[in-house]
Amino acid sequence: MMCTFSLSCSSRRTRGHLNMAELEPTEAEQTACRVEETRERFRTELLQDSPDKYDSRDVDRLLKDDALVDSYLTWRHFVIDDALKMIDESFQWRKELGLNDLTESSIPRWMFDTGAVFLHGYDKEGNKLFWFKVKLHVKDTKTVVDKKKYVAFWLERYAVREPGMQLTVVFDMCESGLGNIDMDFVKYIINCFKIYYPKFLSKMIIVDMPWIMNAAWKIVKTWLGPEAVSKLKFSSRSEVQTFIDPEYLPLHMGGTDPFKYSYPPLPDEDFLTPVMENGPIVSEDDVESKEGQSEVKETLEASFNSEDSKKSKKVNFLEDSLRSEDGDKGDAAGRTRGVPKPLTTFKGPLLHVSPAEELSFGSKDTEKKCLIILFNVTKNQVAFKVRTTAPEKYRVKPSSSSCEAGASVEILVSLHGGYTASLQDRFLVMAAEMENNGTQDLAQFWKEVPRANIVEHRLRCHVMESAKPPLSPPGDGPPETGANGQQDLSTTLMRVMASNARLEQKLDSCLWVQKVLLGLMVLLLALIVQVLYRDGPPEQGS
């Protein structure tokens, strides 16, 4: 079916007085046309004859969410026939697994305990890492359905909380063997990114793959297709730092990340709502209470928030938090007095963000506060929000507001109580341009703004040397002072453990070489014996 826009384009071509610029449709118009044509064909070709074929909630999303339709079209190079086939397969899969109703209690507890699959850390491009520890996987036909649900649970959970954000898959194949490889399960994981979650995959890193599995991965490549093959990266333990910084790599890969998977609670590093003095702010998404809201969102919020967040008193974002921020405007200058100004700037399309990459915190009182300065470079008002991975540690003022055209806003980020900053902490600045300056309610604006219109910028934390406790000398004397003597004990231990892991790896290599040499010696001795006795034992004299 030809969309209205196509017809209007055809009619305009008949007018000789129009120039070529007027005849050419914009890219946005072309995309909108394809989206509407895909929806119309979905209704007539797939939905009309089999309305019960899919989950009605998925159908409703497809008919309302332009970004979802566009993701299928983009992944299939805007060939609508291929996009419809992909939608059909993914929607049937979602209904088969009951994905919209899949909760933590739907999956056996032992799967969470193993730590074979989890989300943790970021790659150098800021994409979330989705880890598969292959050595913990054992092929078992009795549990294959639960394993598929388990992977889908993690993917769906991330898709709900961070829509449109890509993932980097890491297959950690250290210490794995043929007994850990399940080709059907690998194919399922690939289909998750190839069919079920289009545009979700940033890259797929296979770390330390045993040479004996080369043949298996040649088969895997045939399943990926041209889009995904280019995203496949094979890496050794020493080369993986090309893609991931050491702070998010485990010790056995030469990293310094002390993270160890544990359950409960599930490790949750997704960006949470900011915090103020009287507890975590409930964002506009959380306070919205529509009838018929999906059960899975409520379950995820209850299951994965930390115990501290559960016990904290929540305030109403629309009333209490805004009222608190209005009251703080008078002493804003007093709060930021003495806080050092950032020296670097990230130049974004809507806002210039200072600092460009990291906030620096220390242990002194003067080092527990940082400034984020936003400068509006557009001609319209820009709304912004600041979120953090550690809401229990930091106070953000203002956490949500707007910035006039050509103006700047200073945001004070301070450590709360006795907390100290960590290299694992992250901040997210979200911004969106407002068309009706001064007339739009912020809470309503964030509910209605399309995801594609939101610009995001991430900031990491830097821990200054003064924040690190001194390392006590082995004697009974006083601890060593000065910048050189103040080393972080945990960092030192991590470096020792990393060195130990590398030494163990070298030792394993030496032992392997020793075994090979021993085997060759045995083989050589066997050949010598065979040559000596080839014609039988020597004859005795008569």
Side-chain angles (χ1 to χ4, degrees), residues 310-469:
K310 290 180 182 178
K311 295 176 182 178
S312 300
K313 174 188 174 184
K314 293 195 174 183
V315 297
N316 189 298
F317 179 87
L318 302 180
E319 298 176 2
D320 297 342
S321 61
L322 292 178
R323 187 161 54 244
S324 175
E325 289 183 7
D326 289 339
D328 290 334
K329 289 180 180 178
D331 63 342
R335 286 190 284 108
T336 60
R337 187 179 296 114
V339 182
K341 302 287 185 180
L343 302 178
T344 59
T345 301
F346 168 79
K347 296 182 178 181
L350 303 181
L351 298 173
H352 286 182
V353 183
S354 298
E357 295 182 355
E358 58 186 23
L359 299 173
S360 297
F361 292 94
S363 61
K364 299 177 182 178
D365 290 340
T366 56
E367 299 171 343
K368 290 192 173 184
K369 294 181 180 180
C370 288
L371 280 181
I372 299 176
I373 300 178
L374 307 179
F375 179 74
N376 186 351
V377 296
T378 71
K379 296 181 180 179
N380 295 318
Q381 189 174 5
V382 173
F384 66 85
K385 291 196 296 186
V386 180
R387 306 173 76 187
T388 174
T389 58
E392 72 281 357
K393 291 184 181 181
Y394 300 96
R395 301 293 180 259
V396 182
K397 290 186 177 182
S399 60
S400 178
S401 187
S402 61
C403 184
E404 300 294 334
S408 63
V409 174
E410 292 186 350
I411 300 171
L412 181 66
V413 181
S414 56
L415 280 166
H416 173 61
Y419 285 107
T420 57
S422 169
L423 295 176
Q424 311 296 331
D425 300 338
R426 292 288 187 272
F427 289 84
L428 177 70
V429 180
M430 305 171 65
E433 194 170 4
M434 304 176 73
E435 296 179 358
N436 303 320
N437 290 349
T439 63
Q440 288 178 280
D441 178 71
L442 276 177
Q444 190 64 29
F445 171 77
W446 284 111
K447 292 178 186 177
E448 298 175 351
V449 62
R451 179 74 187 185
N453 293 355
I454 299 176
V455 177
E456 298 180 345
H457 181 64
R458 285 176 167 81
L459 298 170
R460 60 176 179 266
C461 279
H462 170 69
V463 181
M464 293 186 286
E465 288 294 323
S466 59
K468 298 181 178 181

Side-chain angles (χ1 to χ4, degrees), residues 122-300:
Y122 300 89
D123 66 8
K124 288 189 174 182
E125 298 174 356
N127 301 307
K128 193 77 171 179
L129 298 177
F130 191 28
W131 292 85
F132 287 83
K133 295 187 74 69
V134 179
K135 73 175 184 178
L136 299 178
H137 177 79
V138 178
K139 186 173 182 179
D140 184 2
T141 56
K142 295 180 181 179
T143 61
V144 65
V145 175
D146 287 329
K147 287 177 181 176
K148 289 181 178 180
K149 288 184 178 181
Y150 184 49
V151 173
F153 171 83
W154 283 101
L155 289 172
E156 185 68 9
R157 172 173 175 256
Y158 184 74
V160 169
R161 301 196 63 154
E162 295 293 335
M165 301 300 293
Q166 290 187 317
L167 285 171
T168 291
V169 178
V170 183
F171 280 98
D172 181 1
M173 304 192 74
C174 300
E175 302 178 23
S176 63
L178 286 175
N180 303 117
I181 297 298
D182 183 347
M183 298 306 290
D184 290 335
F185 189 63
V186 172
K187 188 173 185 178
Y188 167 76
I189 295 171
I190 289 171
N191 280 339
C192 284
F193 294 98
K194 181 181 176 182
I195 301 174
Y196 309 142
Y197 291 92
K199 292 178 66 177
F200 227 58
L201 182 64
S202 168
K203 66 183 74 69
M204 186 179 291
I205 307 173
I206 295 89
V207 183
D208 210 25
M209 185 184 72
W211 64 269
I212 200 169
M213 297 181 187
N214 283 334
W217 279 100
K218 286 181 180 178
I219 298 173
V220 169
K221 283 186 177 181
T222 64
W223 299 336
L224 287 170
E227 303 90 354
V229 165
S230 61
K231 299 175 182 288
L232 198 62
K233 312 294 181 183
F234 291 90
S235 171
S236 64
R237 298 188 207 186
S238 59
E239 296 169 340
V240 71
Q241 292 189 22
T242 306
F243 309 104
I244 306 170
D245 286 323
E247 65 176 306
Y248 287 125
L249 285 175
L251 300 179
H252 70 270
M253 289 185 183
T256 59
D257 190 356
F259 171 81
K260 290 187 180 296
Y261 176 88
S262 62
Y263 177 81
L266 287 174
D268 185 1
E269 293 187 353
D270 292 342
F271 286 97
L272 305 177
T273 51
V275 175
M276 298 180 65
E277 267 77 13
N278 51 350
I281 295 173
V282 180
S283 70
E284 48 270 53
D285 296 328
D286 296 329
V287 299
E288 183 183 13
S289 55
K290 295 182 179 180
E291 290 186 3
Q293 188 178 17
S294 173
E295 178 187 349
V296 65
K297 183 175 181 179
E298 299 173 355
T299 306
L300 291 175

Side-chain angles (χ1 to χ4, degrees), residues 19 65 68 71 80 89 121 137 151 269 299 457-458 513 522:
N19 57 37
D65 189 349
L68 178 63
S71 66
I80 295 180
E89 289 184 44
H137 177 79
V151 173
E269 293 187 353
T299 306
H457 181 64
R458 285 176 167 81
V513 172
V522 172

